[in-house]
mmCIF file of all heavy atoms in Angstrom:
data_model
loop_
_atom_site.group_PDB
_atom_site.id
_atom_site.type_symbol
_atom_site.label_atom_id
_atom_site.label_comp_id
_atom_site.label_asym_id
_atom_site.label_seq_id
_atom_site.Cartn_x
_atom_site.Cartn_y
_atom_site.Cartn_z
ATOM 1 N N GLU A 1 -3.587 4.682 -13.852
ATOM 2 C CA GLU A 1 -4.720 4.140 -14.606
ATOM 3 C C GLU A 1 -4.179 3.019 -15.486
ATOM 4 O O GLU A 1 -4.898 2.036 -15.746
ATOM 5 C CB GLU A 1 -5.340 5.256 -15.554
ATOM 6 C CG GLU A 1 -6.523 5.969 -14.810
ATOM 7 C CD GLU A 1 -7.228 6.730 -15.797
ATOM 8 O OE1 GLU A 1 -6.863 7.878 -16.094
ATOM 9 O OE2 GLU A 1 -8.341 6.361 -16.265
ATOM 10 N N GLU A 2 -3.019 3.174 -16.160
ATOM 11 C CA GLU A 2 -2.346 2.192 -17.108
ATOM 12 C C GLU A 2 -2.114 0.995 -16.291
ATOM 13 O O GLU A 2 -2.341 -0.205 -16.788
ATOM 14 C CB GLU A 2 -1.195 2.770 -17.714
ATOM 15 C CG GLU A 2 -1.607 3.759 -18.839
ATOM 16 C CD GLU A 2 -0.312 4.358 -19.376
ATOM 17 O OE1 GLU A 2 0.773 4.364 -18.719
ATOM 18 O OE2 GLU A 2 -0.302 5.009 -20.532
ATOM 19 N N PHE A 3 -1.560 1.033 -15.102
ATOM 20 C CA PHE A 3 -1.161 -0.103 -14.366
ATOM 21 C C PHE A 3 -2.297 -0.845 -13.863
ATOM 22 O O PHE A 3 -2.431 -2.076 -13.883
ATOM 23 C CB PHE A 3 -0.194 0.250 -13.126
ATOM 24 C CG PHE A 3 0.391 -0.921 -12.524
ATOM 25 C CD1 PHE A 3 1.589 -1.454 -12.944
ATOM 26 C CD2 PHE A 3 -0.246 -1.574 -11.417
ATOM 27 C CE1 PHE A 3 2.225 -2.595 -12.348
ATOM 28 C CE2 PHE A 3 0.374 -2.675 -10.809
ATOM 29 C CZ PHE A 3 1.610 -3.164 -11.273
ATOM 30 N N ASP A 4 -3.301 -0.104 -13.382
ATOM 31 C CA ASP A 4 -4.592 -0.719 -12.994
ATOM 32 C C ASP A 4 -5.324 -1.435 -14.118
ATOM 33 O O ASP A 4 -5.975 -2.414 -13.878
ATOM 34 C CB ASP A 4 -5.659 0.415 -12.447
ATOM 35 C CG ASP A 4 -5.059 0.977 -11.046
ATOM 36 O OD1 ASP A 4 -4.222 0.289 -10.549
ATOM 37 O OD2 ASP A 4 -5.590 1.950 -10.664
ATOM 38 N N TYR A 5 -5.241 -0.841 -15.329
ATOM 39 C CA TYR A 5 -5.766 -1.557 -16.450
ATOM 40 C C TYR A 5 -5.137 -2.861 -16.788
ATOM 41 O O TYR A 5 -5.880 -3.883 -16.977
ATOM 42 C CB TYR A 5 -5.614 -0.584 -17.724
ATOM 43 C CG TYR A 5 -6.407 -1.066 -19.001
ATOM 44 C CD1 TYR A 5 -7.614 -0.594 -19.313
ATOM 45 C CD2 TYR A 5 -5.762 -1.968 -19.767
ATOM 46 C CE1 TYR A 5 -8.215 -1.045 -20.485
ATOM 47 C CE2 TYR A 5 -6.504 -2.401 -20.938
ATOM 48 C CZ TYR A 5 -7.667 -1.930 -21.295
ATOM 49 O OH TYR A 5 -8.262 -2.338 -22.535
ATOM 50 N N LEU A 6 -3.822 -2.817 -16.616
ATOM 51 C CA LEU A 6 -3.025 -4.106 -16.920
ATOM 52 C C LEU A 6 -3.448 -5.129 -15.737
ATOM 53 O O LEU A 6 -3.669 -6.153 -16.019
ATOM 54 C CB LEU A 6 -1.524 -3.715 -16.907
ATOM 55 C CG LEU A 6 -0.574 -4.944 -16.901
ATOM 56 C CD1 LEU A 6 -0.765 -5.784 -18.137
ATOM 57 C CD2 LEU A 6 0.873 -4.475 -16.724
ATOM 58 N N ALA A 7 -3.391 -4.592 -14.534
ATOM 59 C CA ALA A 7 -3.592 -5.498 -13.426
ATOM 60 C C ALA A 7 -5.078 -6.172 -13.465
ATOM 61 O O ALA A 7 -5.183 -7.303 -13.199
ATOM 62 C CB ALA A 7 -3.428 -4.685 -12.032
ATOM 63 N N LYS A 8 -5.965 -5.414 -13.905
ATOM 64 C CA LYS A 8 -7.295 -5.887 -14.000
ATOM 65 C C LYS A 8 -7.482 -6.979 -14.970
ATOM 66 O O LYS A 8 -8.104 -8.015 -14.705
ATOM 67 C CB LYS A 8 -8.288 -4.726 -14.460
ATOM 68 C CG LYS A 8 -9.838 -5.104 -14.543
ATOM 69 C CD LYS A 8 -10.550 -3.954 -14.823
ATOM 70 C CE LYS A 8 -12.119 -4.419 -14.982
ATOM 71 N NZ LYS A 8 -12.981 -3.324 -15.457
ATOM 72 N N ASP A 9 -6.740 -6.844 -16.134
ATOM 73 C CA ASP A 9 -6.625 -8.028 -17.116
ATOM 74 C C ASP A 9 -5.870 -9.166 -16.678
ATOM 75 O O ASP A 9 -6.286 -10.230 -16.832
ATOM 76 C CB ASP A 9 -5.971 -7.397 -18.444
ATOM 77 C CG ASP A 9 -6.943 -6.588 -19.287
ATOM 78 O OD1 ASP A 9 -8.174 -6.522 -18.981
ATOM 79 O OD2 ASP A 9 -6.515 -6.069 -20.237
ATOM 80 N N LEU A 10 -4.793 -8.862 -15.989
ATOM 81 C CA LEU A 10 -4.007 -10.041 -15.489
ATOM 82 C C LEU A 10 -4.858 -10.845 -14.374
ATOM 83 O O LEU A 10 -4.479 -12.055 -14.309
ATOM 84 C CB LEU A 10 -2.635 -9.524 -14.941
ATOM 85 C CG LEU A 10 -1.705 -9.064 -15.995
ATOM 86 C CD1 LEU A 10 -0.479 -8.663 -15.386
ATOM 87 C CD2 LEU A 10 -1.415 -10.176 -17.173
ATOM 88 N N LYS A 11 -5.474 -10.074 -13.581
ATOM 89 C CA LYS A 11 -6.261 -10.787 -12.420
ATOM 90 C C LYS A 11 -7.123 -11.890 -12.986
ATOM 91 O O LYS A 11 -7.401 -12.864 -12.281
ATOM 92 C CB LYS A 11 -6.981 -9.801 -11.624
ATOM 93 C CG LYS A 11 -7.734 -10.378 -10.443
ATOM 94 C CD LYS A 11 -8.473 -9.406 -9.634
ATOM 95 C CE LYS A 11 -9.111 -9.915 -8.418
ATOM 96 N NZ LYS A 11 -10.031 -9.148 -7.742
ATOM 97 N N LEU A 12 -7.635 -11.597 -14.270
ATOM 98 C CA LEU A 12 -8.644 -12.696 -14.775
ATOM 99 C C LEU A 12 -7.921 -14.138 -14.927
ATOM 100 O O LEU A 12 -8.587 -15.025 -15.073
ATOM 101 C CB LEU A 12 -9.163 -12.210 -16.146
ATOM 102 C CG LEU A 12 -10.003 -10.863 -16.020
ATOM 103 C CD1 LEU A 12 -10.406 -10.437 -17.357
ATOM 104 C CD2 LEU A 12 -11.323 -11.175 -15.129
ATOM 105 N N ILE A 13 -6.612 -13.968 -15.137
ATOM 106 C CA ILE A 13 -5.868 -15.208 -15.475
ATOM 107 C C ILE A 13 -4.818 -15.607 -14.521
ATOM 108 O O ILE A 13 -3.981 -16.549 -14.642
ATOM 109 C CB ILE A 13 -5.247 -15.209 -16.891
ATOM 110 C CG1 ILE A 13 -4.326 -14.000 -16.949
ATOM 111 C CG2 ILE A 13 -6.329 -15.120 -18.039
ATOM 112 C CD1 ILE A 13 -3.509 -13.928 -18.370
ATOM 113 N N LEU A 14 -4.621 -14.772 -13.391
ATOM 114 C CA LEU A 14 -3.755 -15.044 -12.528
ATOM 115 C C LEU A 14 -3.944 -16.372 -11.677
ATOM 116 O O LEU A 14 -4.973 -16.745 -11.260
ATOM 117 C CB LEU A 14 -3.656 -13.929 -11.382
ATOM 118 C CG LEU A 14 -2.782 -12.644 -11.541
ATOM 119 C CD1 LEU A 14 -2.777 -11.642 -10.340
ATOM 120 C CD2 LEU A 14 -1.438 -12.956 -12.015
ATOM 121 N N ASP A 15 -2.818 -17.062 -11.374
ATOM 122 C CA ASP A 15 -2.822 -18.251 -10.576
ATOM 123 C C ASP A 15 -1.971 -17.864 -9.442
ATOM 124 O O ASP A 15 -0.760 -17.582 -9.531
ATOM 125 C CB ASP A 15 -2.351 -19.503 -11.312
ATOM 126 C CG ASP A 15 -2.442 -20.793 -10.587
ATOM 127 O OD1 ASP A 15 -1.987 -20.651 -9.302
ATOM 128 O OD2 ASP A 15 -2.787 -21.800 -11.053
ATOM 129 N N PRO A 16 -2.492 -17.998 -8.165
ATOM 130 C CA PRO A 16 -1.731 -17.492 -6.934
ATOM 131 C C PRO A 16 -0.416 -18.283 -6.799
ATOM 132 O O PRO A 16 0.535 -17.693 -6.151
ATOM 133 C CB PRO A 16 -2.633 -17.736 -5.880
ATOM 134 C CG PRO A 16 -4.088 -17.638 -6.407
ATOM 135 C CD PRO A 16 -3.820 -18.252 -7.811
ATOM 136 N N GLU A 17 -0.300 -19.483 -7.268
ATOM 137 C CA GLU A 17 0.956 -20.243 -7.168
ATOM 138 C C GLU A 17 2.075 -19.594 -7.864
ATOM 139 O O GLU A 17 3.232 -19.959 -7.619
ATOM 140 C CB GLU A 17 0.742 -21.701 -7.702
ATOM 141 C CG GLU A 17 -0.318 -22.492 -6.852
ATOM 142 C CD GLU A 17 0.072 -22.758 -5.504
ATOM 143 O OE1 GLU A 17 1.294 -22.910 -5.246
ATOM 144 O OE2 GLU A 17 -0.779 -22.768 -4.478
ATOM 145 N N PHE A 18 1.804 -18.792 -8.929
ATOM 146 C CA PHE A 18 2.749 -18.204 -9.764
ATOM 147 C C PHE A 18 2.845 -16.642 -9.643
ATOM 148 O O PHE A 18 3.401 -16.078 -10.474
ATOM 149 C CB PHE A 18 2.530 -18.605 -11.199
ATOM 150 C CG PHE A 18 2.495 -20.115 -11.339
ATOM 151 C CD1 PHE A 18 1.362 -20.740 -11.923
ATOM 152 C CD2 PHE A 18 3.571 -21.008 -11.104
ATOM 153 C CE1 PHE A 18 1.374 -22.152 -12.154
ATOM 154 C CE2 PHE A 18 3.639 -22.260 -11.240
ATOM 155 C CZ PHE A 18 2.429 -22.952 -11.835
ATOM 156 N N ALA A 19 2.146 -16.061 -8.684
ATOM 157 C CA ALA A 19 2.138 -14.639 -8.474
ATOM 158 C C ALA A 19 2.693 -14.331 -7.101
ATOM 159 O O ALA A 19 1.972 -14.563 -6.071
ATOM 160 C CB ALA A 19 0.771 -14.123 -8.705
ATOM 161 N N LEU A 20 3.860 -13.989 -6.915
ATOM 162 C CA LEU A 20 4.617 -14.024 -5.719
ATOM 163 C C LEU A 20 5.237 -12.549 -5.388
ATOM 164 O O LEU A 20 5.656 -11.950 -6.362
ATOM 165 C CB LEU A 20 5.807 -14.950 -5.612
ATOM 166 C CG LEU A 20 5.412 -16.400 -5.961
ATOM 167 C CD1 LEU A 20 6.724 -17.164 -6.187
ATOM 168 C CD2 LEU A 20 4.475 -17.075 -4.994
ATOM 169 N N VAL A 21 5.207 -12.159 -4.101
ATOM 170 C CA VAL A 21 5.843 -10.936 -3.800
ATOM 171 C C VAL A 21 6.867 -11.207 -2.674
ATOM 172 O O VAL A 21 6.790 -12.080 -1.861
ATOM 173 C CB VAL A 21 4.864 -9.843 -3.276
ATOM 174 C CG1 VAL A 21 3.937 -9.576 -4.399
ATOM 175 C CG2 VAL A 21 4.092 -10.304 -2.149
ATOM 176 N N ALA A 22 7.927 -10.342 -2.508
ATOM 177 C CA ALA A 22 8.792 -10.330 -1.448
ATOM 178 C C ALA A 22 8.374 -8.912 -0.592
ATOM 179 O O ALA A 22 8.465 -7.940 -1.193
ATOM 180 C CB ALA A 22 10.308 -10.281 -1.935
ATOM 181 N N GLU A 23 8.315 -9.172 0.546
ATOM 182 C CA GLU A 23 7.861 -8.157 1.552
ATOM 183 C C GLU A 23 8.691 -7.933 2.646
ATOM 184 O O GLU A 23 9.100 -9.014 3.383
ATOM 185 C CB GLU A 23 6.375 -8.420 1.888
ATOM 186 C CG GLU A 23 5.799 -7.251 2.510
ATOM 187 C CD GLU A 23 4.241 -7.700 2.724
ATOM 188 O OE1 GLU A 23 4.017 -8.666 3.484
ATOM 189 O OE2 GLU A 23 3.266 -6.865 2.236
ATOM 190 N N GLN A 24 9.037 -6.758 3.024
ATOM 191 C CA GLN A 24 9.826 -6.354 4.289
ATOM 192 C C GLN A 24 9.068 -5.524 5.142
ATOM 193 O O GLN A 24 8.749 -4.207 4.740
ATOM 194 C CB GLN A 24 11.223 -5.834 3.833
ATOM 195 C CG GLN A 24 12.054 -5.575 5.168
ATOM 196 C CD GLN A 24 13.349 -4.761 4.773
ATOM 197 O OE1 GLN A 24 13.396 -3.743 4.245
ATOM 198 N NE2 GLN A 24 14.458 -5.488 5.198
ATOM 199 N N ASP A 25 8.590 -5.807 6.242
ATOM 200 C CA ASP A 25 7.812 -5.017 7.228
ATOM 201 C C ASP A 25 6.690 -4.280 6.566
ATOM 202 O O ASP A 25 6.418 -3.126 6.667
ATOM 203 C CB ASP A 25 8.846 -4.011 7.762
ATOM 204 C CG ASP A 25 9.926 -4.630 8.559
ATOM 205 O OD1 ASP A 25 9.779 -5.686 9.235
ATOM 206 O OD2 ASP A 25 11.042 -4.062 8.608
ATOM 207 N N GLY A 26 5.928 -5.032 5.684
ATOM 208 C CA GLY A 26 4.747 -4.549 5.114
ATOM 209 C C GLY A 26 5.060 -3.987 3.702
ATOM 210 O O GLY A 26 3.960 -3.497 3.023
#
């Protein structure tokens, strides 16, 4: 719940150019 709360707030101001993930086989 806490992480979802944080993520929901951050989504409002996220710019995809600066939100990156490293992924291996999904």
Side-chain angles (χ1 to χ4, degrees):
E1 271 193 282
E2 288 173 337
F3 193 86
D4 290 345
Y5 187 97
L6 173 62
K8 183 180 178 181
D9 278 355
L10 291 178
K11 185 182 180 183
L12 297 173
I13 56 174
L14 275 186
D15 186 317
E17 297 293 327
F18 303 120
L20 308 171
V21 300
E23 191 173 58
Q24 183 186 55
D25 300 325

